[in-house]
Short mmCIF file of all heavy atoms in Angstrom, two decimals:
data_model
loop_
_atom_site.label_atom_id
_atom_site.label_comp_id
_atom_site.label_asym_id
_atom_site.label_seq_id
_atom_site.Cartn_x
_atom_site.Cartn_y
_atom_site.Cartn_z
N MET A 1 45.94 2.08 20.93
CA MET A 1 46.64 1.16 21.80
C MET A 1 48.15 1.37 21.72
O MET A 1 48.64 2.09 20.84
CB MET A 1 46.34 -0.27 21.34
CG MET A 1 45.29 -1.13 22.07
SD MET A 1 44.67 -0.66 23.60
CE MET A 1 45.66 -1.59 24.75
N PHE A 2 48.83 0.75 22.62
CA PHE A 2 50.32 0.88 22.65
C PHE A 2 50.92 -0.07 21.70
O PHE A 2 50.47 -1.18 21.52
CB PHE A 2 50.83 0.60 24.05
CG PHE A 2 50.42 1.59 25.10
CD1 PHE A 2 49.56 1.25 26.10
CD2 PHE A 2 50.95 2.85 25.09
CE1 PHE A 2 49.18 2.14 27.05
CE2 PHE A 2 50.56 3.78 26.01
CZ PHE A 2 49.69 3.46 27.00
N GLY A 3 52.06 0.36 21.16
CA GLY A 3 52.82 -0.52 20.27
C GLY A 3 53.86 -1.25 21.11
O GLY A 3 53.94 -1.06 22.35
N LEU A 4 54.59 -2.10 20.47
CA LEU A 4 55.60 -2.89 21.21
C LEU A 4 56.70 -2.02 21.81
O LEU A 4 57.16 -2.26 22.92
CB LEU A 4 56.22 -3.95 20.25
CG LEU A 4 57.15 -4.97 20.84
CD1 LEU A 4 56.43 -5.72 21.99
CD2 LEU A 4 57.65 -5.89 19.79
N SER A 5 57.12 -1.00 21.04
CA SER A 5 58.21 -0.16 21.56
C SER A 5 57.77 0.66 22.78
O SER A 5 58.51 0.86 23.71
CB SER A 5 58.70 0.80 20.51
OG SER A 5 57.64 1.59 20.03
N GLU A 6 56.48 1.14 22.80
CA GLU A 6 56.02 1.88 23.97
C GLU A 6 55.90 1.01 25.18
O GLU A 6 56.23 1.39 26.30
CB GLU A 6 54.63 2.49 23.63
CG GLU A 6 54.64 3.66 22.73
CD GLU A 6 54.53 3.20 21.31
OE1 GLU A 6 54.46 2.01 21.00
OE2 GLU A 6 54.54 4.13 20.44
N LEU A 7 55.43 -0.27 24.98
CA LEU A 7 55.39 -1.19 26.11
C LEU A 7 56.75 -1.56 26.62
O LEU A 7 56.95 -1.68 27.85
CB LEU A 7 54.69 -2.51 25.68
CG LEU A 7 53.14 -2.34 25.40
CD1 LEU A 7 52.57 -3.67 24.90
CD2 LEU A 7 52.42 -1.93 26.66
N ALA A 8 57.73 -1.62 25.75
CA ALA A 8 59.10 -1.89 26.24
C ALA A 8 59.64 -0.76 27.07
O ALA A 8 60.33 -0.98 28.07
CB ALA A 8 60.01 -2.16 25.06
N VAL A 9 59.37 0.50 26.63
CA VAL A 9 59.82 1.65 27.38
C VAL A 9 59.12 1.65 28.75
O VAL A 9 59.80 1.93 29.75
CB VAL A 9 59.53 2.97 26.62
CG1 VAL A 9 59.73 4.12 27.50
CG2 VAL A 9 60.38 3.02 25.37
N ILE A 10 57.84 1.39 28.78
CA ILE A 10 57.11 1.34 30.07
C ILE A 10 57.70 0.29 30.96
O ILE A 10 57.89 0.46 32.19
CB ILE A 10 55.60 1.17 29.81
CG1 ILE A 10 55.00 2.38 29.13
CG2 ILE A 10 54.87 0.86 31.12
CD1 ILE A 10 53.55 2.18 28.66
N LEU A 11 58.01 -0.88 30.43
CA LEU A 11 58.62 -1.97 31.24
C LEU A 11 59.98 -1.55 31.80
O LEU A 11 60.27 -1.83 32.95
CB LEU A 11 58.74 -3.23 30.38
CG LEU A 11 59.31 -4.40 31.09
CD1 LEU A 11 58.42 -4.85 32.24
CD2 LEU A 11 59.52 -5.61 30.13
N VAL A 12 60.80 -0.88 30.99
CA VAL A 12 62.12 -0.46 31.46
C VAL A 12 61.98 0.58 32.55
O VAL A 12 62.69 0.54 33.59
CB VAL A 12 62.94 0.18 30.27
CG1 VAL A 12 64.16 0.91 30.78
CG2 VAL A 12 63.32 -0.94 29.32
N VAL A 13 61.04 1.49 32.45
CA VAL A 13 60.77 2.49 33.50
C VAL A 13 60.31 1.82 34.78
O VAL A 13 60.80 2.19 35.88
CB VAL A 13 59.73 3.53 32.99
CG1 VAL A 13 59.31 4.45 34.15
CG2 VAL A 13 60.33 4.38 31.89
N ILE A 14 59.44 0.80 34.68
CA ILE A 14 59.01 0.07 35.85
C ILE A 14 60.15 -0.64 36.52
O ILE A 14 60.31 -0.61 37.72
CB ILE A 14 57.89 -0.90 35.49
CG1 ILE A 14 56.61 -0.14 35.12
CG2 ILE A 14 57.60 -1.85 36.62
CD1 ILE A 14 55.50 -1.02 34.59
N VAL A 15 61.09 -1.25 35.78
CA VAL A 15 62.20 -1.96 36.33
C VAL A 15 63.12 -0.99 37.01
O VAL A 15 63.64 -1.25 38.14
CB VAL A 15 63.00 -2.76 35.21
CG1 VAL A 15 64.30 -3.24 35.70
CG2 VAL A 15 62.10 -3.90 34.74
N VAL A 16 63.35 0.19 36.44
CA VAL A 16 64.25 1.15 37.04
C VAL A 16 63.59 1.75 38.30
O VAL A 16 64.30 1.86 39.32
CB VAL A 16 64.50 2.35 36.05
CG1 VAL A 16 65.20 3.49 36.72
CG2 VAL A 16 65.37 1.82 34.89
N VAL A 17 62.34 1.99 38.31
CA VAL A 17 61.69 2.60 39.46
C VAL A 17 61.54 1.54 40.56
O VAL A 17 61.87 1.86 41.75
CB VAL A 17 60.30 3.12 39.14
CG1 VAL A 17 59.51 3.51 40.34
CG2 VAL A 17 60.46 4.33 38.18
N LEU A 18 61.09 0.36 40.31
CA LEU A 18 60.86 -0.63 41.32
C LEU A 18 62.10 -1.43 41.72
O LEU A 18 62.21 -1.91 42.85
CB LEU A 18 59.74 -1.64 40.93
CG LEU A 18 58.38 -1.00 40.81
CD1 LEU A 18 57.37 -2.08 40.32
CD2 LEU A 18 57.89 -0.40 42.05
N GLY A 19 63.00 -1.60 40.85
CA GLY A 19 64.16 -2.41 41.03
C GLY A 19 63.79 -3.88 40.74
O GLY A 19 62.71 -4.33 40.79
N VAL A 20 64.85 -4.64 40.42
CA VAL A 20 64.67 -6.02 39.99
C VAL A 20 64.14 -6.89 41.14
O VAL A 20 63.28 -7.73 40.99
CB VAL A 20 66.04 -6.56 39.43
CG1 VAL A 20 65.87 -8.02 39.09
CG2 VAL A 20 66.43 -5.76 38.21
N ARG A 21 64.60 -6.63 42.36
CA ARG A 21 64.24 -7.47 43.50
C ARG A 21 62.75 -7.31 43.80
O ARG A 21 62.01 -8.27 44.01
CB ARG A 21 65.07 -7.14 44.74
CG ARG A 21 64.72 -8.01 45.90
CD ARG A 21 65.67 -7.74 47.06
NE ARG A 21 67.06 -8.24 46.62
CZ ARG A 21 68.10 -8.05 47.32
NH1 ARG A 21 68.04 -7.41 48.48
NH2 ARG A 21 69.24 -8.52 46.90
N LYS A 22 62.28 -6.06 43.83
CA LYS A 22 60.84 -5.86 44.12
C LYS A 22 59.99 -6.28 42.95
O LYS A 22 58.90 -6.75 43.17
CB LYS A 22 60.59 -4.34 44.39
CG LYS A 22 61.13 -3.90 45.71
CD LYS A 22 60.77 -2.47 46.00
CE LYS A 22 61.27 -2.03 47.32
NZ LYS A 22 60.89 -0.67 47.65
N LEU A 23 60.50 -6.13 41.75
CA LEU A 23 59.73 -6.56 40.55
C LEU A 23 59.51 -8.08 40.58
O LEU A 23 58.41 -8.50 40.26
CB LEU A 23 60.44 -6.12 39.27
CG LEU A 23 59.65 -6.35 38.00
CD1 LEU A 23 58.35 -5.60 38.00
CD2 LEU A 23 60.48 -6.00 36.78
N SER A 24 60.53 -8.83 40.99
CA SER A 24 60.33 -10.29 40.98
C SER A 24 59.29 -10.69 42.01
O SER A 24 58.48 -11.60 41.79
CB SER A 24 61.70 -11.00 41.28
OG SER A 24 62.10 -10.67 42.54
N GLY A 25 59.26 -10.08 43.21
CA GLY A 25 58.25 -10.31 44.18
C GLY A 25 56.92 -9.88 43.68
O GLY A 25 55.90 -10.62 43.96
N LEU A 26 56.82 -8.82 42.96
CA LEU A 26 55.49 -8.34 42.47
C LEU A 26 54.95 -9.33 41.42
O LEU A 26 53.78 -9.65 41.40
CB LEU A 26 55.70 -6.94 41.82
CG LEU A 26 54.48 -6.31 41.21
CD1 LEU A 26 53.47 -5.98 42.33
CD2 LEU A 26 54.87 -5.02 40.48
N VAL A 27 55.82 -9.80 40.52
CA VAL A 27 55.42 -10.78 39.53
C VAL A 27 55.00 -12.10 40.21
O VAL A 27 54.02 -12.69 39.80
CB VAL A 27 56.54 -11.00 38.49
CG1 VAL A 27 56.21 -12.13 37.56
CG2 VAL A 27 56.73 -9.72 37.72
N ARG A 28 55.72 -12.51 41.20
CA ARG A 28 55.38 -13.75 41.95
C ARG A 28 53.99 -13.61 42.62
O ARG A 28 53.18 -14.47 42.54
CB ARG A 28 56.44 -14.03 42.95
CG ARG A 28 56.27 -15.39 43.68
CD ARG A 28 57.38 -15.66 44.65
NE ARG A 28 58.72 -15.62 44.04
CZ ARG A 28 59.64 -14.71 44.40
NH1 ARG A 28 59.43 -13.84 45.36
NH2 ARG A 28 60.79 -14.73 43.79
N SER A 29 53.73 -12.42 43.21
CA SER A 29 52.44 -12.16 43.86
C SER A 29 51.34 -12.19 42.85
O SER A 29 50.23 -12.68 43.05
CB SER A 29 52.49 -10.91 44.61
OG SER A 29 53.40 -10.95 45.66
N ALA A 30 51.57 -11.57 41.70
CA ALA A 30 50.57 -11.52 40.65
C ALA A 30 50.25 -12.87 40.11
O ALA A 30 49.10 -13.28 39.88
CB ALA A 30 51.05 -10.58 39.54
N GLY A 31 51.28 -13.76 40.00
CA GLY A 31 51.07 -15.12 39.55
C GLY A 31 50.31 -15.93 40.52
O GLY A 31 49.41 -16.70 40.19
N THR A 32 50.58 -15.77 41.79
CA THR A 32 49.82 -16.45 42.87
C THR A 32 48.36 -16.00 42.88
O THR A 32 47.48 -16.83 42.98
CB THR A 32 50.47 -16.17 44.24
OG1 THR A 32 51.82 -16.57 44.23
CG2 THR A 32 49.72 -16.88 45.35
N ALA A 33 48.17 -14.69 42.74
CA ALA A 33 46.77 -14.20 42.70
C ALA A 33 46.02 -14.73 41.46
O ALA A 33 44.86 -15.09 41.62
CB ALA A 33 46.80 -12.66 42.67
N THR A 34 46.70 -14.84 40.36
CA THR A 34 46.05 -15.39 39.16
C THR A 34 45.69 -16.82 39.37
O THR A 34 44.62 -17.24 38.95
CB THR A 34 47.02 -15.26 37.96
OG1 THR A 34 47.35 -13.83 37.79
CG2 THR A 34 46.35 -15.74 36.66
N ARG A 35 46.57 -17.63 39.97
CA ARG A 35 46.27 -19.03 40.19
C ARG A 35 45.09 -19.15 41.14
O ARG A 35 44.18 -20.01 40.91
CB ARG A 35 47.49 -19.76 40.77
CG ARG A 35 48.50 -20.17 39.77
CD ARG A 35 49.48 -21.13 40.35
NE ARG A 35 50.23 -20.62 41.48
CZ ARG A 35 51.29 -19.84 41.37
NH1 ARG A 35 51.78 -19.54 40.22
NH2 ARG A 35 51.91 -19.43 42.49
N ILE A 36 45.04 -18.39 42.17
CA ILE A 36 43.92 -18.41 43.11
C ILE A 36 42.63 -18.04 42.44
O ILE A 36 41.60 -18.70 42.59
CB ILE A 36 44.20 -17.50 44.34
CG1 ILE A 36 45.34 -18.05 45.17
CG2 ILE A 36 42.92 -17.35 45.18
CD1 ILE A 36 45.82 -17.12 46.24
N LEU A 37 42.71 -17.03 41.62
CA LEU A 37 41.49 -16.55 40.92
C LEU A 37 40.97 -17.65 39.95
O LEU A 37 39.81 -17.95 39.88
CB LEU A 37 41.76 -15.28 40.13
CG LEU A 37 40.59 -14.64 39.41
CD1 LEU A 37 39.48 -14.25 40.34
CD2 LEU A 37 41.08 -13.48 38.56
N LYS A 38 41.89 -18.27 39.22
CA LYS A 38 41.49 -19.33 38.31
C LYS A 38 40.87 -20.55 39.05
O LYS A 38 39.91 -21.14 38.62
CB LYS A 38 42.70 -19.83 37.50
CG LYS A 38 43.10 -18.84 36.36
CD LYS A 38 44.25 -19.41 35.63
CE LYS A 38 44.66 -18.47 34.51
NZ LYS A 38 45.80 -19.01 33.74
N ARG A 39 41.50 -20.86 40.18
CA ARG A 39 41.04 -21.98 41.02
C ARG A 39 39.60 -21.73 41.52
O ARG A 39 38.72 -22.55 41.46
CB ARG A 39 41.97 -22.28 42.14
CG ARG A 39 41.61 -23.49 42.94
CD ARG A 39 42.60 -23.81 44.04
NE ARG A 39 43.04 -22.56 44.65
CZ ARG A 39 44.19 -22.38 45.20
NH1 ARG A 39 45.11 -23.35 45.26
NH2 ARG A 39 44.58 -21.24 45.74
N GLU A 40 39.35 -20.50 41.96
CA GLU A 40 38.04 -20.14 42.50
C GLU A 40 37.01 -20.10 41.38
O GLU A 40 35.83 -20.54 41.58
CB GLU A 40 38.10 -18.79 43.28
CG GLU A 40 38.92 -18.90 44.52
CD GLU A 40 38.34 -19.84 45.55
OE1 GLU A 40 37.11 -19.94 45.62
OE2 GLU A 40 39.15 -20.49 46.30
N ALA A 41 37.42 -19.59 40.22
CA ALA A 41 36.47 -19.58 39.10
C ALA A 41 36.11 -20.96 38.66
O ALA A 41 34.95 -21.25 38.33
CB ALA A 41 37.10 -18.75 37.93
N ARG A 42 37.06 -21.87 38.62
CA ARG A 42 36.83 -23.25 38.29
C ARG A 42 35.90 -23.91 39.32
O ARG A 42 35.03 -24.72 38.95
CB ARG A 42 38.14 -24.00 38.18
CG ARG A 42 38.09 -25.28 37.39
CD ARG A 42 39.47 -25.89 37.17
NE ARG A 42 40.41 -24.99 36.62
CZ ARG A 42 41.62 -24.69 37.15
NH1 ARG A 42 41.97 -25.20 38.29
NH2 ARG A 42 42.43 -23.80 36.55
N ALA A 43 36.11 -23.58 40.56
CA ALA A 43 35.22 -24.17 41.63
C ALA A 43 33.84 -23.65 41.48
O ALA A 43 32.86 -24.46 41.73
CB ALA A 43 35.80 -23.76 42.98
N LEU A 44 33.64 -22.38 41.09
CA LEU A 44 32.27 -21.91 40.84
C LEU A 44 31.60 -22.63 39.62
O LEU A 44 30.43 -22.91 39.67
CB LEU A 44 32.29 -20.40 40.63
CG LEU A 44 32.44 -19.51 41.83
CD1 LEU A 44 32.53 -18.10 41.42
CD2 LEU A 44 31.27 -19.76 42.76
N ASP A 45 32.40 -22.90 38.63
CA ASP A 45 31.87 -23.58 37.45
C ASP A 45 31.52 -25.04 37.78
O ASP A 45 30.56 -25.55 37.25
CB ASP A 45 32.85 -23.56 36.28
CG ASP A 45 32.97 -22.19 35.67
OD1 ASP A 45 32.08 -21.35 35.87
OD2 ASP A 45 34.01 -21.91 34.98
N ASP A 46 32.35 -25.62 38.60
CA ASP A 46 32.14 -27.06 38.98
C ASP A 46 30.92 -27.21 39.90
O ASP A 46 30.29 -28.27 39.92
CB ASP A 46 33.36 -27.66 39.58
CG ASP A 46 34.47 -27.83 38.55
OD1 ASP A 46 34.23 -27.72 37.37
OD2 ASP A 46 35.64 -27.97 38.99
N ALA A 47 30.63 -26.24 40.71
CA ALA A 47 29.57 -26.32 41.63
C ALA A 47 28.25 -26.41 40.87
O ALA A 47 27.97 -25.57 40.02
CB ALA A 47 29.53 -25.12 42.58
N ASP A 48 27.45 -27.42 41.16
CA ASP A 48 26.21 -27.67 40.44
C ASP A 48 25.05 -27.26 41.41
O ASP A 48 24.62 -28.07 42.20
CB ASP A 48 26.08 -29.08 39.98
CG ASP A 48 24.83 -29.31 39.16
OD1 ASP A 48 24.37 -28.39 38.57
OD2 ASP A 48 24.37 -30.46 39.14
N PRO A 49 24.58 -26.03 41.32
CA PRO A 49 23.52 -25.65 42.22
C PRO A 49 22.23 -26.35 41.91
O PRO A 49 21.95 -26.66 40.73
CB PRO A 49 23.38 -24.13 41.98
CG PRO A 49 23.89 -23.89 40.62
CD PRO A 49 25.02 -24.92 40.42
N ALA A 50 21.49 -26.72 42.91
CA ALA A 50 20.24 -27.40 42.66
C ALA A 50 19.30 -26.47 41.93
O ALA A 50 19.23 -25.27 42.25
CB ALA A 50 19.63 -27.81 44.01
N ALA A 51 18.62 -27.03 41.01
CA ALA A 51 17.68 -26.21 40.20
C ALA A 51 16.51 -25.76 41.13
O ALA A 51 16.08 -26.54 41.98
CB ALA A 51 17.17 -27.02 39.07
N PRO A 52 16.07 -24.53 41.05
CA PRO A 52 14.98 -24.12 41.95
C PRO A 52 13.71 -24.83 41.59
O PRO A 52 13.43 -25.14 40.48
CB PRO A 52 14.88 -22.63 41.64
CG PRO A 52 15.46 -22.43 40.29
CD PRO A 52 16.53 -23.48 40.17
N ARG A 53 12.96 -25.21 42.67
CA ARG A 53 11.64 -25.83 42.46
C ARG A 53 10.62 -24.78 42.10
O ARG A 53 10.61 -23.69 42.66
CB ARG A 53 11.21 -26.52 43.77
CG ARG A 53 12.11 -27.67 44.15
CD ARG A 53 11.60 -28.42 45.33
NE ARG A 53 10.61 -27.70 46.07
CZ ARG A 53 10.15 -28.03 47.29
NH1 ARG A 53 10.62 -29.08 47.83
NH2 ARG A 53 9.23 -27.30 47.88
N LEU A 54 9.75 -25.11 41.13
CA LEU A 54 8.75 -24.14 40.70
C LEU A 54 7.37 -24.74 40.94
O LEU A 54 7.18 -25.98 40.82
CB LEU A 54 8.93 -23.86 39.19
CG LEU A 54 10.29 -23.30 38.79
CD1 LEU A 54 10.34 -23.06 37.32
CD2 LEU A 54 10.54 -21.99 39.47
N ASP A 55 6.41 -23.92 41.25
CA ASP A 55 5.06 -24.40 41.41
C ASP A 55 4.36 -24.39 40.05
O ASP A 55 4.97 -24.11 39.02
CB ASP A 55 4.29 -23.56 42.46
CG ASP A 55 4.10 -22.13 42.05
OD1 ASP A 55 4.50 -21.78 40.93
OD2 ASP A 55 3.56 -21.33 42.83
N ALA A 56 3.04 -24.65 40.03
CA ALA A 56 2.30 -24.77 38.75
C ALA A 56 2.28 -23.45 38.02
O ALA A 56 2.18 -23.42 36.79
CB ALA A 56 0.89 -25.24 39.06
N ASP A 57 2.36 -22.29 38.76
CA ASP A 57 2.35 -20.99 38.12
C ASP A 57 3.74 -20.49 37.64
O ASP A 57 3.86 -19.45 37.08
CB ASP A 57 1.71 -19.99 39.03
CG ASP A 57 0.26 -20.22 39.37
OD1 ASP A 57 -0.42 -20.77 38.48
OD2 ASP A 57 -0.18 -19.90 40.47
N GLY A 58 4.72 -21.30 37.95
CA GLY A 58 6.11 -20.94 37.56
C GLY A 58 6.84 -20.13 38.61
O GLY A 58 7.88 -19.63 38.38
N HIS A 59 6.26 -19.98 39.79
CA HIS A 59 6.88 -19.24 40.89
C HIS A 59 7.83 -20.19 41.65
O HIS A 59 7.56 -21.36 41.80
CB HIS A 59 5.88 -18.63 41.83
CG HIS A 59 4.99 -17.67 41.19
ND1 HIS A 59 3.70 -17.97 40.81
CD2 HIS A 59 5.19 -16.39 40.81
CE1 HIS A 59 3.13 -16.94 40.26
NE2 HIS A 59 4.00 -15.96 40.26
N GLN A 60 8.91 -19.60 42.10
CA GLN A 60 9.90 -20.47 42.88
C GLN A 60 9.32 -20.78 44.21
O GLN A 60 8.81 -19.98 44.95
CB GLN A 60 11.22 -19.69 43.01
CG GLN A 60 12.26 -20.54 43.68
CD GLN A 60 13.62 -19.83 43.75
OE1 GLN A 60 13.82 -18.77 43.17
NE2 GLN A 60 14.56 -20.45 44.39
N VAL A 61 9.49 -22.07 44.64
CA VAL A 61 9.01 -22.54 45.92
C VAL A 61 10.18 -22.43 46.92
O VAL A 61 11.26 -22.90 46.66
CB VAL A 61 8.56 -24.01 45.83
CG1 VAL A 61 8.16 -24.51 47.20
CG2 VAL A 61 7.39 -24.12 44.86
N VAL A 62 9.86 -21.72 48.03
CA VAL A 62 10.89 -21.58 49.07
C VAL A 62 10.34 -22.31 50.29
O VAL A 62 9.25 -22.05 50.77
CB VAL A 62 11.08 -20.05 49.41
CG1 VAL A 62 12.06 -19.93 50.56
CG2 VAL A 62 11.49 -19.30 48.19
N THR A 63 11.16 -23.26 50.81
CA THR A 63 10.68 -23.99 51.96
C THR A 63 11.15 -23.30 53.19
O THR A 63 12.18 -22.64 53.26
CB THR A 63 11.29 -25.42 51.96
OG1 THR A 63 12.69 -25.32 51.87
CG2 THR A 63 10.85 -26.20 50.73
N GLY A 64 10.35 -23.45 54.28
CA GLY A 64 10.68 -22.83 55.53
C GLY A 64 9.55 -23.04 56.51
O GLY A 64 8.56 -23.79 56.21
N THR A 65 9.63 -22.48 57.67
CA THR A 65 8.60 -22.55 58.71
C THR A 65 8.07 -21.17 59.01
O THR A 65 8.83 -20.17 58.94
CB THR A 65 9.18 -23.21 59.98
OG1 THR A 65 10.24 -22.40 60.43
CG2 THR A 65 9.65 -24.64 59.73
N VAL A 66 6.81 -21.12 59.36
CA VAL A 66 6.19 -19.88 59.74
C VAL A 66 6.42 -19.71 61.21
O VAL A 66 6.10 -20.56 62.03
CB VAL A 66 4.67 -19.90 59.45
CG1 VAL A 66 4.03 -18.62 59.90
CG2 VAL A 66 4.52 -20.06 57.94
N VAL A 67 6.92 -18.52 61.60
CA VAL A 67 7.17 -18.23 63.00
C VAL A 67 6.06 -17.30 63.48
O VAL A 67 5.85 -16.28 62.88
CB VAL A 67 8.55 -17.55 63.21
CG1 VAL A 67 8.80 -17.21 64.62
CG2 VAL A 67 9.62 -18.48 62.60
N PRO A 68 5.35 -17.63 64.61
CA PRO A 68 4.29 -16.77 65.07
C PRO A 68 4.87 -15.54 65.65
O PRO A 68 6.06 -15.51 66.16
CB PRO A 68 3.59 -17.61 66.14
CG PRO A 68 4.63 -18.68 66.54
CD PRO A 68 5.47 -18.90 65.34
N PRO A 69 4.11 -14.43 65.67
CA PRO A 69 4.60 -13.18 66.22
C PRO A 69 4.82 -13.29 67.73
O PRO A 69 4.20 -14.15 68.37
CB PRO A 69 3.44 -12.16 65.95
CG PRO A 69 2.51 -12.82 65.03
CD PRO A 69 2.78 -14.31 65.06
N ARG A 70 5.68 -12.48 68.31
CA ARG A 70 5.98 -12.56 69.74
C ARG A 70 4.87 -12.09 70.64
O ARG A 70 4.79 -12.51 71.78
CB ARG A 70 7.21 -11.73 70.04
CG ARG A 70 8.48 -12.32 69.42
CD ARG A 70 9.63 -11.49 69.87
NE ARG A 70 10.81 -11.85 69.01
CZ ARG A 70 11.99 -11.52 69.30
NH1 ARG A 70 12.24 -10.86 70.40
NH2 ARG A 70 12.99 -11.87 68.54
N ASP A 71 4.01 -11.18 70.13
CA ASP A 71 3.02 -10.60 71.03
C ASP A 71 1.79 -11.46 71.27
O ASP A 71 0.85 -11.09 71.87
CB ASP A 71 2.59 -9.23 70.46
CG ASP A 71 1.98 -9.35 69.10
OD1 ASP A 71 1.84 -10.41 68.53
OD2 ASP A 71 1.62 -8.28 68.56
N GLY A 72 1.84 -12.70 70.71
CA GLY A 72 0.74 -13.66 70.94
C GLY A 72 -0.43 -13.58 69.96
O GLY A 72 -1.32 -14.38 70.00
N THR A 73 -0.40 -12.59 69.04
CA THR A 73 -1.46 -12.51 68.07
C THR A 73 -1.20 -13.58 66.98
O THR A 73 -0.10 -14.08 66.87
CB THR A 73 -1.51 -11.14 67.41
OG1 THR A 73 -0.28 -10.84 66.76
CG2 THR A 73 -1.78 -10.05 68.44
N THR A 74 -2.22 -13.85 66.22
CA THR A 74 -2.08 -14.86 65.17
C THR A 74 -1.61 -14.17 63.89
O THR A 74 -1.95 -13.01 63.64
CB THR A 74 -3.36 -15.61 64.92
OG1 THR A 74 -4.35 -14.69 64.55
CG2 THR A 74 -3.78 -16.39 66.16
N ALA A 75 -0.86 -14.91 63.09
CA ALA A 75 -0.40 -14.37 61.82
C ALA A 75 -1.57 -14.33 60.85
O ALA A 75 -2.50 -15.14 60.85
CB ALA A 75 0.68 -15.28 61.28
N PRO A 76 -1.64 -13.34 59.99
CA PRO A 76 -2.71 -13.27 58.95
C PRO A 76 -2.63 -14.43 58.00
O PRO A 76 -1.55 -14.93 57.68
CB PRO A 76 -2.46 -11.92 58.26
CG PRO A 76 -1.07 -11.60 58.55
CD PRO A 76 -0.69 -12.27 59.82
N ARG A 77 -3.77 -14.88 57.57
CA ARG A 77 -3.83 -16.02 56.55
C ARG A 77 -3.71 -15.43 55.17
O ARG A 77 -4.23 -14.32 54.86
CB ARG A 77 -5.18 -16.73 56.71
CG ARG A 77 -5.37 -17.37 58.02
CD ARG A 77 -5.10 -18.82 57.88
NE ARG A 77 -5.23 -19.45 59.21
CZ ARG A 77 -4.65 -20.57 59.51
NH1 ARG A 77 -3.97 -21.20 58.61
NH2 ARG A 77 -4.80 -21.05 60.68
N ALA A 78 -3.05 -16.19 54.34
CA ALA A 78 -2.91 -15.78 52.95
C ALA A 78 -4.15 -16.14 52.13
O ALA A 78 -4.87 -17.00 52.34
CB ALA A 78 -1.65 -16.39 52.34
#
């Protein structure tokens, strides 16, 4: 891993290459992106998805309607 002196040299090179004005905008954008990411992660944690319903065999029950085929034939029975 990098030591403190190597990280300081990398930071100085970034400041020289990007300039102070662009660097401040870059840091501001990174902070905004971090806040958005944290907010979305918190929203996912707070969302309480409904537990899936299971039948007697332990299979997940999916509710819906059966749509007949367009050609007028009947759907096969299970």
Side-chain angles (χ1 to χ4, degrees):
M1 260 346 264
F2 292 111
L4 187 58
S5 60
E6 287 89 359
L7 291 175
V9 170
I10 292 172
L11 181 62
V12 168
V13 169
I14 290 173
V15 168
V16 168
V17 170
L18 294 178
V20 176
R21 183 173 292 175
K22 287 185 179 182
L23 185 63
S24 65
L26 180 66
V27 171
R28 186 178 304 118
S29 297
T32 302
T34 303
R35 279 193 302 275
I36 292 170
L37 182 63
K38 285 181 180 179
R39 183 177 42 209
E40 293 298 325
R42 200 173 306 123
L44 282 176
D45 288 342
D46 293 343
D48 185 26
R53 294 185 344 191
L54 302 177
D55 64 3
D57 295 329
H59 298 102
Q60 185 175 355
V61 176
V62 179
T63 58
T65 58
V66 177
V67 179
R70 291 185 194 195
D71 61 1
T73 61
T74 59
R77 298 256 177 204

